[in-house]
Amino acid sequence: MKSIYILLTRSDSCVSRIIGLVTADNYTHVSISFDKSLQTLYSFARKYVRTPLPAGMIKEELDSGFLGKHNYIPCALYEIKVSDEAYAAAKKEVDDMAAHMDDYRFNIVGLFCCRMNIQLNRKRHYFCSQFVSKVLEKSKAVELPKPAALMRPSDYLDLEEMKCLFKGSIRKLDEYCANHEYETNRMCI
């Protein structure tokens, strides 16, 4: 068995605040990682710290970029235990996409459709939760409660397979990851 890590966040950016107002969800962004130290997270989001557009597939790091600059924002880290085959398939899917990162775009229309419960799948276009869901679905890591194009970050909280490792700020998570101290879920209360 191997682990895939899911990081949920809610920033104070304009886009995140609007999503939070419209959905009333605790978390408005999701990222995926394949290593316990969270050295690299993958998602679909803004490409530059200061502007919401352009957006597309990105590599995120806890101590730099948007997360590094906004390290006070709340987050929750979850672990999903998966078979070696599912892990390899999910990692290969993300690695293949990352090798052609500039070919992918943010699915802004799909994001609005998701809120209206309308599935919109566009080739090489994803929003954050659609991307993570597609990776998990395609690799058969988990069975999703709804289609990838309708998954929101907060929907991950309903997955049985998710084990909470940490809740707090990005800054505190970065400290825990550096020390590998989040092996118990005492922070998830």
Side-chain angles (χ1 to χ4, degrees):
M1 295 289 279
K2 294 200 174 196
S3 296
I4 294 175
Y5 300 93
I6 304 295
L7 179 65
L8 300 170
T9 58
R10 182 172 181 163
S11 76
D12 58 357
S13 72
C14 183
V15 174
S16 181
R17 285 188 302 221
I18 290 169
I19 292 170
L21 276 172
V22 171
T23 64
D25 290 343
N26 289 331
Y27 299 104
T28 57
H29 183 67
V30 61
S31 308
I32 189 169
S33 183
F34 298 95
D35 65 281
K36 187 174 191 170
S37 64
L38 303 181
Q39 287 297 311
T40 303
L41 295 130
Y42 298 91
S43 192
F44 273 70
R46 64 179 62 221
K47 290 190 175 202
Y48 304 107
V49 173
R50 297 181 192 269
T51 61
L53 294 173
M57 187 176 190
I58 61 166
K59 289 182 181 179
E60 297 175 301
E61 296 177 7
L62 295 178
D63 59 356
S64 65
F66 187 84
L67 295 177
K69 184 173 179 169
H70 297 89
N71 64 5
Y72 51 85
I73 64 173
C75 68
L77 177 65
Y78 289 85
E79 174 184 44
I80 302 173
K81 292 280 191 188
V82 299
S83 69
D84 292 353
E85 295 80 16
Y87 178 91
K91 187 161 182 357
K92 181 181 181 337
E93 180 72 16
V94 172
D95 288 346
D96 288 350
M97 291 175 76
H100 304 284
M101 201 175 281
D102 291 337
D103 295 341
Y104 290 90
R105 303 286 178 260
F106 192 83
N107 190 3
I108 231 167
V109 177
L111 183 64
F112 289 110
C113 287
C114 177
R115 179 60 186 119
M116 295 181 291
N117 209 33
I118 299 169
Q119 251 188 102
L120 179 65
N121 293 301
R122 298 168 64 201
K123 187 176 183 178
R124 297 184 182 259
H125 286 70
Y126 296 93
F127 51 90
C128 65
S129 53
Q130 181 183 25
F131 160 68
V132 172
S133 298
K134 196 63 153 174
V135 168
L136 294 175
E137 180 182 67
K138 195 169 182 180
S139 66
K140 299 184 181 355
V142 296
E143 190 172 321
L144 299 173
K146 54 177 109 170
L150 298 179
M151 287 287 288
R152 299 189 333 224
S154 288
D155 289 331
Y156 286 95
L157 299 173
D158 297 330
L159 295 178
E160 288 178 19
E161 297 87 352
M162 299 269 284
K163 176 187 172 196
C164 183
L165 298 177
F166 176 89
K167 280 187 181 178
S169 69
I170 292 289
R171 179 184 308 111
K172 293 285 186 192
L173 175 60
D174 194 24
E175 292 169 15
Y176 276 92
C177 288
N179 297 321
H180 297 291
E181 292 179 6
Y182 60 84
E183 291 174 11
T184 65
N185 64 359
R186 69 183 187 282
M187 299 300 297
C188 294
I189 299 170

